[in-house]
Amino acid sequence: MRTIKLVSAVSALVFFSVGGFCVYLNDYLDRTYPAHPAITNKATRKLLRGAALREHIAPDPRIAYMFLLRALEDIYADGELSEDSEAVQEIIARMADAAAQAGERGPAEQMLEDSWSKVEQKKTGESEGWRMQQICRLADVLGPLQTSQGKHSAAISTYGAALRASKAAHELADNSQHEEFLLKQANYVTSLGEAFALSGDYDSAHTLLSSVLVDLNERQQSGKVDKWTCLDAVVMLDLAQVEHKRGDIKQSRQWAEAGLGVTGKWPRVGACDNCQAHLLAHLAKLSESQGDIKGALQYYELGLKHFNDTQTGDLEKLEAATRRLNSQMLQNVDQ
């Protein structure tokens, strides 16, 4: 009898614990990733909540896409919202993002370009503020897609439009969103600089990246981890790569070393760890290009140690480079 009571008590405890967690999770998703207020159907909002879970909490872009597709089908079946409505266009932007992450770049780009055209022609959205923010939402996915496909001129146009839209939306927003818009604009200037660099316009890239770095240096005075953390190091890495392309090896090295000085202050911060892996790889390549095999080997070994500590970097390339340089050093000794 006591055993039955104990099992019943444990079962009840588990039931209420799971139930409480589900209530908390649903509330968190509704507050943090709210569905558009025009969507009132409970079943549809539940699907959008499931999509948010698979987009942000337990990422799986293919499942997120299916949730969003089902939600869109429900909306069209209800007939209350048109394809040009704000709510539907926001879902389409999220579907494009999920498709892109799942590797379906063609369909993603088509959805984004169609939505972009509607926003530019003011065929969707009731307010100018929403249209400006929608341009930013679309650019956040379209820009990287264009860059990855070598469409650098298109990426420059996309990020330029997003920067202008962000500034316009910032002027219409309340003070509570001030910091969010400043961060968004800093990211767009950085992406714009990277796009110019990839297009071969290194002077424009240098001007943009240098200008944003001034603002970022002022933002790094808080001493706490936030969304600004190590963005300055990322820009320093970009500048190092730009200077390398311009043929200024000394300046490239200085920027990369300055970036390492930043990332070293933030151990176990994901963005910083990732940036540090790229900085070490860049310095190794610089040393190797100048015939400094010993220096390059030291940087590759630091990269291996960094990988073991943080699991960031390309282990296969690091090991191959280390073996190759060690072999080269032995050959030099034999000679």
PDB file of all heavy atoms in Angstrom, residues 62-76:
ATOM      1  N   ARG A  62      14.011  22.878 -40.350  1.00  0.00           N
ATOM      2  CA  ARG A  62      13.025  22.147 -41.155  1.00  0.00           C
ATOM      3  C   ARG A  62      11.705  22.010 -40.398  1.00  0.00           C
ATOM      4  O   ARG A  62      10.624  22.170 -40.984  1.00  0.00           O
ATOM      5  CB  ARG A  62      13.578  20.770 -41.541  1.00  0.00           C
ATOM      6  CG  ARG A  62      14.768  20.865 -42.483  1.00  0.00           C
ATOM      7  CD  ARG A  62      15.208  19.509 -42.990  1.00  0.00           C
ATOM      8  NE  ARG A  62      16.364  19.632 -43.862  1.00  0.00           N
ATOM      9  CZ  ARG A  62      16.312  19.960 -45.152  1.00  0.00           C
ATOM     10  NH1 ARG A  62      15.135  20.169 -45.720  1.00  0.00           N
ATOM     11  NH2 ARG A  62      17.421  20.068 -45.862  1.00  0.00           N
ATOM     12  N   ILE A  63      11.782  21.702 -39.106  1.00  0.00           N
ATOM     13  CA  ILE A  63      10.554  21.600 -38.312  1.00  0.00           C
ATOM     14  C   ILE A  63       9.917  22.976 -38.155  1.00  0.00           C
ATOM     15  O   ILE A  63       8.686  23.124 -38.236  1.00  0.00           O
ATOM     16  CB  ILE A  63      10.856  20.969 -36.942  1.00  0.00           C
ATOM     17  CG1 ILE A  63      11.349  19.527 -37.126  1.00  0.00           C
ATOM     18  CG2 ILE A  63       9.625  20.996 -36.043  1.00  0.00           C
ATOM     19  CD1 ILE A  63      11.721  18.823 -35.834  1.00  0.00           C
ATOM     20  N   ALA A  64      10.754  24.001 -37.942  1.00  0.00           N
ATOM     21  CA  ALA A  64      10.236  25.366 -37.835  1.00  0.00           C
ATOM     22  C   ALA A  64       9.484  25.741 -39.115  1.00  0.00           C
ATOM     23  O   ALA A  64       8.393  26.333 -39.058  1.00  0.00           O
ATOM     24  CB  ALA A  64      11.373  26.347 -37.589  1.00  0.00           C
ATOM     25  N   TYR A  65      10.054  25.374 -40.257  1.00  0.00           N
ATOM     26  CA  TYR A  65       9.407  25.684 -41.545  1.00  0.00           C
ATOM     27  C   TYR A  65       8.039  25.016 -41.637  1.00  0.00           C
ATOM     28  O   TYR A  65       7.064  25.623 -42.097  1.00  0.00           O
ATOM     29  CB  TYR A  65      10.302  25.217 -42.694  1.00  0.00           C
ATOM     30  CG  TYR A  65       9.779  25.580 -44.066  1.00  0.00           C
ATOM     31  CD1 TYR A  65      10.147  26.772 -44.674  1.00  0.00           C
ATOM     32  CD2 TYR A  65       8.912  24.734 -44.748  1.00  0.00           C
ATOM     33  CE1 TYR A  65       9.668  27.115 -45.925  1.00  0.00           C
ATOM     34  CE2 TYR A  65       8.429  25.064 -45.995  1.00  0.00           C
ATOM     35  CZ  TYR A  65       8.809  26.258 -46.580  1.00  0.00           C
ATOM     36  OH  TYR A  65       8.319  26.599 -47.819  1.00  0.00           O
ATOM     37  N   MET A  66       7.948  23.762 -41.209  1.00  0.00           N
ATOM     38  CA  MET A  66       6.675  23.042 -41.278  1.00  0.00           C
ATOM     39  C   MET A  66       5.628  23.685 -40.371  1.00  0.00           C
ATOM     40  O   MET A  66       4.457  23.803 -40.747  1.00  0.00           O
ATOM     41  CB  MET A  66       6.889  21.569 -40.892  1.00  0.00           C
ATOM     42  CG  MET A  66       7.746  20.795 -41.875  1.00  0.00           C
ATOM     43  SD  MET A  66       7.148  20.924 -43.598  1.00  0.00           S
ATOM     44  CE  MET A  66       5.505  20.226 -43.443  1.00  0.00           C
ATOM     45  N   PHE A  67       6.037  24.103 -39.161  1.00  0.00           N
ATOM     46  CA  PHE A  67       5.107  24.804 -38.275  1.00  0.00           C
ATOM     47  C   PHE A  67       4.586  26.080 -38.941  1.00  0.00           C
ATOM     48  O   PHE A  67       3.384  26.379 -38.898  1.00  0.00           O
ATOM     49  CB  PHE A  67       5.795  25.159 -36.951  1.00  0.00           C
ATOM     50  CG  PHE A  67       5.723  24.089 -35.907  1.00  0.00           C
ATOM     51  CD1 PHE A  67       6.879  23.491 -35.421  1.00  0.00           C
ATOM     52  CD2 PHE A  67       4.494  23.697 -35.373  1.00  0.00           C
ATOM     53  CE1 PHE A  67       6.812  22.503 -34.442  1.00  0.00           C
ATOM     54  CE2 PHE A  67       4.425  22.712 -34.398  1.00  0.00           C
ATOM     55  CZ  PHE A  67       5.586  22.113 -33.930  1.00  0.00           C
ATOM     56  N   LEU A  68       5.489  26.848 -39.537  1.00  0.00           N
ATOM     57  CA  LEU A  68       5.108  28.114 -40.169  1.00  0.00           C
ATOM     58  C   LEU A  68       4.204  27.874 -41.375  1.00  0.00           C
ATOM     59  O   LEU A  68       3.229  28.614 -41.600  1.00  0.00           O
ATOM     60  CB  LEU A  68       6.372  28.873 -40.596  1.00  0.00           C
ATOM     61  CG  LEU A  68       7.240  29.392 -39.439  1.00  0.00           C
ATOM     62  CD1 LEU A  68       8.617  29.801 -39.947  1.00  0.00           C
ATOM     63  CD2 LEU A  68       6.560  30.561 -38.738  1.00  0.00           C
ATOM     64  N   LEU A  69       4.517  26.816 -42.153  1.00  0.00           N
ATOM     65  CA  LEU A  69       3.695  26.485 -43.321  1.00  0.00           C
ATOM     66  C   LEU A  69       2.283  26.105 -42.892  1.00  0.00           C
ATOM     67  O   LEU A  69       1.293  26.558 -43.500  1.00  0.00           O
ATOM     68  CB  LEU A  69       4.344  25.348 -44.103  1.00  0.00           C
ATOM     69  CG  LEU A  69       3.622  24.901 -45.387  1.00  0.00           C
ATOM     70  CD1 LEU A  69       3.528  26.053 -46.375  1.00  0.00           C
ATOM     71  CD2 LEU A  69       4.355  23.708 -46.012  1.00  0.00           C
ATOM     72  N   ARG A  70       2.170  25.288 -41.834  1.00  0.00           N
ATOM     73  CA  ARG A  70       0.860  24.908 -41.329  1.00  0.00           C
ATOM     74  C   ARG A  70       0.088  26.133 -40.836  1.00  0.00           C
ATOM     75  O   ARG A  70      -1.124  26.254 -41.055  1.00  0.00           O
ATOM     76  CB  ARG A  70       1.006  23.896 -40.188  1.00  0.00           C
ATOM     77  CG  ARG A  70       1.407  22.491 -40.646  1.00  0.00           C
ATOM     78  CD  ARG A  70       0.236  21.781 -41.325  1.00  0.00           C
ATOM     79  NE  ARG A  70      -0.942  21.772 -40.475  1.00  0.00           N
ATOM     80  CZ  ARG A  70      -1.158  20.916 -39.485  1.00  0.00           C
ATOM     81  NH1 ARG A  70      -0.241  19.995 -39.199  1.00  0.00           N
ATOM     82  NH2 ARG A  70      -2.276  20.959 -38.790  1.00  0.00           N
ATOM     83  N   ALA A  71       0.775  27.040 -40.163  1.00  0.00           N
ATOM     84  CA  ALA A  71       0.132  28.261 -39.669  1.00  0.00           C
ATOM     85  C   ALA A  71      -0.380  29.096 -40.841  1.00  0.00           C
ATOM     86  O   ALA A  71      -1.500  29.627 -40.797  1.00  0.00           O
ATOM     87  CB  ALA A  71       1.121  29.074 -38.831  1.00  0.00           C
ATOM     88  N   LEU A  72       0.431  29.178 -41.893  1.00  0.00           N
ATOM     89  CA  LEU A  72       0.028  29.958 -43.071  1.00  0.00           C
ATOM     90  C   LEU A  72      -1.172  29.322 -43.756  1.00  0.00           C
ATOM     91  O   LEU A  72      -2.099  30.026 -44.202  1.00  0.00           O
ATOM     92  CB  LEU A  72       1.220  30.042 -44.034  1.00  0.00           C
ATOM     93  CG  LEU A  72       1.229  31.192 -45.037  1.00  0.00           C
ATOM     94  CD1 LEU A  72       1.144  32.536 -44.333  1.00  0.00           C
ATOM     95  CD2 LEU A  72       2.498  31.127 -45.893  1.00  0.00           C
ATOM     96  N   GLU A  73      -1.188  28.002 -43.825  1.00  0.00           N
ATOM     97  CA  GLU A  73      -2.330  27.301 -44.422  1.00  0.00           C
ATOM     98  C   GLU A  73      -3.599  27.576 -43.624  1.00  0.00           C
ATOM     99  O   GLU A  73      -4.675  27.776 -44.206  1.00  0.00           O
ATOM    100  CB  GLU A  73      -2.052  25.797 -44.472  1.00  0.00           C
ATOM    101  CG  GLU A  73      -0.982  25.409 -45.499  1.00  0.00           C
ATOM    102  CD  GLU A  73      -0.573  23.953 -45.390  1.00  0.00           C
ATOM    103  OE1 GLU A  73      -0.918  23.295 -44.366  1.00  0.00           O
ATOM    104  OE2 GLU A  73       0.105  23.453 -46.312  1.00  0.00           O
ATOM    105  N   ASP A  74      -3.488  27.580 -42.290  1.00  0.00           N
ATOM    106  CA  ASP A  74      -4.641  27.882 -41.441  1.00  0.00           C
ATOM    107  C   ASP A  74      -5.151  29.295 -41.678  1.00  0.00           C
ATOM    108  O   ASP A  74      -6.367  29.538 -41.733  1.00  0.00           O
ATOM    109  CB  ASP A  74      -4.276  27.721 -39.961  1.00  0.00           C
ATOM    110  CG  ASP A  74      -4.243  26.262 -39.527  1.00  0.00           C
ATOM    111  OD1 ASP A  74      -4.494  25.386 -40.381  1.00  0.00           O
ATOM    112  OD2 ASP A  74      -3.947  26.012 -38.343  1.00  0.00           O
ATOM    113  N   ILE A  75      -4.218  30.234 -41.809  1.00  0.00           N
ATOM    114  CA  ILE A  75      -4.594  31.635 -42.027  1.00  0.00           C
ATOM    115  C   ILE A  75      -5.336  31.790 -43.354  1.00  0.00           C
ATOM    116  O   ILE A  75      -6.369  32.460 -43.440  1.00  0.00           O
ATOM    117  CB  ILE A  75      -3.350  32.544 -41.991  1.00  0.00           C
ATOM    118  CG1 ILE A  75      -2.802  32.630 -40.560  1.00  0.00           C
ATOM    119  CG2 ILE A  75      -3.661  33.940 -42.521  1.00  0.00           C
ATOM    120  CD1 ILE A  75      -1.456  33.304 -40.448  1.00  0.00           C
ATOM    121  N   TYR A  76      -4.808  31.153 -44.398  1.00  0.00           N
ATOM    122  CA  TYR A  76      -5.466  31.230 -45.703  1.00  0.00           C
ATOM    123  C   TYR A  76      -6.827  30.540 -45.669  1.00  0.00           C
ATOM    124  O   TYR A  76      -7.792  30.999 -46.311  1.00  0.00           O
ATOM    125  CB  TYR A  76      -4.586  30.598 -46.780  1.00  0.00           C
ATOM    126  CG  TYR A  76      -3.367  31.421 -47.149  1.00  0.00           C
ATOM    127  CD1 TYR A  76      -2.225  30.817 -47.670  1.00  0.00           C
ATOM    128  CD2 TYR A  76      -3.357  32.801 -46.979  1.00  0.00           C
ATOM    129  CE1 TYR A  76      -1.107  31.567 -48.014  1.00  0.00           C
ATOM    130  CE2 TYR A  76      -2.245  33.560 -47.316  1.00  0.00           C
ATOM    131  CZ  TYR A  76      -1.128  32.943 -47.836  1.00  0.00           C
ATOM    132  OH  TYR A  76      -0.018  33.684 -48.175  1.00  0.00           O
TER     133      TYR A  76
END
